[in-house]
Amino acid sequence: MAESKRPSSDPKPSSGWGFETKTIHAGSPPDAASGAVVPPIQQTAAYAFPDAETAAKRFDLDDFGNVYSRITNPTVAALEKKLAALEGGVGATCAASGHAAQILALLPLLDSGDHVVAARQLYGGSVGQFTYVFKRFGWHSTLVDAREPINIERAIGEKTRAVFLEALANPDGLVVDIEAIAKVAHKAGVPLIVDNTLATPYLLRPREWGADLVVHSTTKFLNGHGNALGGAVIDSGTYGWSRVPALTEPCLAYHGVRFAEKFGKLAFTAYAHAIGLRDLGAAMAPLNAFLTGIGIETLALRMERHCANALALARYLDRHPKIEWVSYAGLPDGPQKKLVAKYLPNGAGAVFTFGVKGGLAAGKALVESVDLIQHVANIGDSRTLIIHPASTTHRPLSAEELREAGIGPEAVRISVGLETVDDLIADLDQALANI
Ligand SMILES: *Cc1c(COP(=O)(O)O)cnc(C)c1O
């Protein structure tokens, strides 16, 4: 009897659970077939149909059973349920990477010739996607300084179909007024998409401030151990998909199915699987979903320590004579303290930039002088990682774009890990002494 009271045996319990309980139990009850406590990796490309009739129904989206792992896979589905529960959404779609998730988010919203307004404070790879590659799909974008919501409002035009920003911006850990920007987007009738990679739902849930879609690079803090690429789009269930033609008009790829009519609140998520993943092919691998799910089980504990270590390093750097500036939103007297108090009461994340006196040469020298801290193009690992954006991640950006993104030649980005903080400080100390 006690068995049946296990929280995981309840098929729909997660809304009443606390955050930590969801990280462990949401979407991952013991395996129905074997009783395995850790849900197994379903390492298969395809699934046997019980009969021809069911096979036909699955192809018509009248039966939701699995067909092929490019579209759905049980291990990936378990992670999707966990992420939807953590972000408070109605459905989630995982993808091969964060960048793939960004394309899945925009695919139903933008036709060729349409437009998206994005914050210019974005991960360098996203600036590249929006500025150069999306243009080839006919998706135009305007990137503006999102610190002033009025800039977003001014950039919205006739053809604008979405607003996109990062909850905590990579690389400098900037916080923007999400609630005010959501109001601007909704006044114009378009959804707000928030990339929540750096904050994670432990620190901030964009849905609570008006985000209609939340995207993630799960590669970073959600996975937390730097061992699997992945991305996700979570639908908050707040935007009326009946305003989006791709979801209301008959879909010829599925015998004229109208996603909004057939799937209601799940229209976006159904489209992201049935069209986005099926036709673009950027599916998450089952092993990566498994590793990411395991990582999420310790998300709350890890984020607490990531933030504590980051604050300690930011304070140390702020006092160091060879450091010109530190851009960590969590510094007690920083210019962002009001926004941090509102949006990030549990910590301002663990990725930030700082400027080394001596410009480009000093920035490069520092990343070459650290020893324990690793010189790596990644963030959100248990290891502390450092990089010099101007010569690496932000290299494709022009001098003007670099200035606009707030990346000076002297800027160094750090993603603070989970090591003993004194060891991290000692490593920076010896590196700074050497330059
Ligand atoms: C890394 C990153 C991405 C891209 O994610 P991938 O998993 O590397 O494709 C997008 N947004 C942010 C904020 C990132 O840090």
Side-chain angles (χ1 to χ4, degrees):
M1 282 297 108
E3 277 287 292
S4 66
K5 284 192 184 150
R6 281 181 318 196
S8 46
S9 65
D10 181 347
K12 265 195 172 175
S14 59
S15 56
W17 287 342
F19 187 86
E20 290 81 357
T21 308
K22 288 182 197 170
T23 61
I24 296 160
H25 293 288
S28 45
D31 181 51
S34 65
V37 170
V38 179
I41 305 169
Q42 306 260 4
Q43 189 68 21
T44 184
Y47 306 83
F49 298 120
D51 50 59
E53 176 70 18
T54 309
K57 281 188 173 162
R58 288 184 190 175
F59 273 81
D60 277 351
L61 301 178
D62 285 331
D63 179 293
F64 299 139
N66 297 303
V67 172
Y68 192 64
S69 283
R70 176 161 23 83
I71 309 164
T72 53
N73 169 280
T75 316
V76 177
L79 178 61
E80 290 170 340
K81 281 193 192 130
K82 199 184 280 296
L83 289 170
L86 293 176
E87 289 287 8
V90 294
T93 310
C94 284
S97 67
H99 265 6
Q102 290 172 197
I103 298 178
L104 286 188
L106 294 173
L107 184 70
L109 299 173
L110 272 75
D111 256 326
S112 180
D114 285 341
H115 176 248
V116 50
V117 177
R120 77 177 187 213
Q121 292 89 357
L122 291 185
Y123 164 60
S126 300
V127 174
Q129 242 189 350
F130 278 88
T131 311
Y132 304 112
V133 179
F134 286 170
K135 233 178 234 166
R136 308 202 59 210
F137 303 169
W139 296 354
H140 302 282
S141 60
T142 307
L143 272 57
V144 299
D145 187 344
R147 282 174 295 187
E148 296 296 339
I150 186 78
N151 294 335
I152 305 252
E153 188 157 14
R154 287 195 184 122
I156 292 177
E158 267 299 272
K159 289 279 192 180
T160 304
R161 299 289 176 261
V163 172
F164 187 101
L165 57 87
E166 288 179 10
L168 253 176
N170 184 352
D172 54 6
L174 186 88
V175 195
V176 296
D177 193 348
I178 304 170
E179 191 177 29
I181 295 172
K183 284 192 182 131
V184 165
H186 294 157
K187 200 171 107 190
V190 302
L192 173 66
I193 307 172
V194 173
D195 180 340
N196 200 29
T197 299
L198 264 63
T200 82
Y202 176 69
L203 296 176
L204 188 156
R205 285 173 297 281
R207 182 189 186 279
E208 293 170 6
W209 304 107
D212 302 292
L213 292 174
V214 177
V215 296
H216 276 284
S217 166
T218 63
T219 317
K220 316 293 172 55
F221 292 97
L222 287 174
N223 168 285
H225 301 79
N227 59 29
L229 266 281
V233 195
I234 298 104
D235 178 5
S236 297
T238 48
Y239 188 73
W241 296 119
S242 57
R243 283 179 278 183
V244 175
L247 298 176
T248 55
E249 285 168 8
C251 177
L252 300 180
Y254 281 104
H255 308 301
V257 162
R258 296 171 192 263
F259 280 87
E261 193 175 283
K262 190 172 177 90
F263 297 100
K265 282 245 179 230
L266 283 173
F268 177 89
T269 303
Y271 184 94
H273 286 88
I275 299 287
L277 289 176
R278 188 194 69 165
D279 293 354
L280 299 179
M284 181 184 271
L287 175 61
N288 288 8
F290 175 82
L291 291 168
T292 304
I294 300 292
I296 290 174
E297 292 185 11
T298 54
L299 180 67
L301 285 171
R302 286 188 291 105
M303 289 312 290
E304 247 178 66
R305 182 62 64 85
H306 275 298
C307 291
N309 280 359
L311 180 59
L313 279 199
R315 285 188 154 135
Y316 159 80
L317 289 166
D318 202 34
R319 287 190 301 262
H320 199 287
K322 288 191 181 174
I323 300 299
E324 207 167 306
W325 52 266
V326 177
S327 168
Y328 183 58
L331 278 172
D333 286 318
Q336 295 221 283
K337 68 177 177 205
K338 265 198 177 153
L339 287 170
V340 170
K342 175 170 177 179
Y343 291 107
L344 296 156
N346 295 323
V351 176
F352 64 91
T353 49
F354 55 94
V356 189
K357 287 182 186 162
L360 185 83
K364 277 184 159 172
L366 180 70
V367 298
E368 286 176 346
S369 305
V370 286
D371 182 23
L372 175 66
I373 298 173
Q374 295 173 5
H375 182 196
V376 168
N378 193 16
I379 56 166
D381 197 322
S382 48
R383 296 149 191 82
T384 297
L385 311 176
I386 203 162
I387 201 161
H388 179 239
S391 58
T392 55
T393 49
H394 287 64
R395 200 177 175 77
L397 273 59
S398 67
E400 196 189 327
E401 284 166 342
L402 276 176
R403 247 194 325 279
E404 286 192 341
I407 316 294
E410 76 287 4
V412 171
R413 178 186 75 187
I414 192 163
S415 172
V416 183
L418 303 173
E419 299 94 334
T420 309
V421 73
D422 290 344
D423 294 335
L424 298 174
I425 290 175
D427 193 29
L428 281 173
D429 225 29
Q430 67 77 23
L432 285 164
N434 275 336
I435 62 169

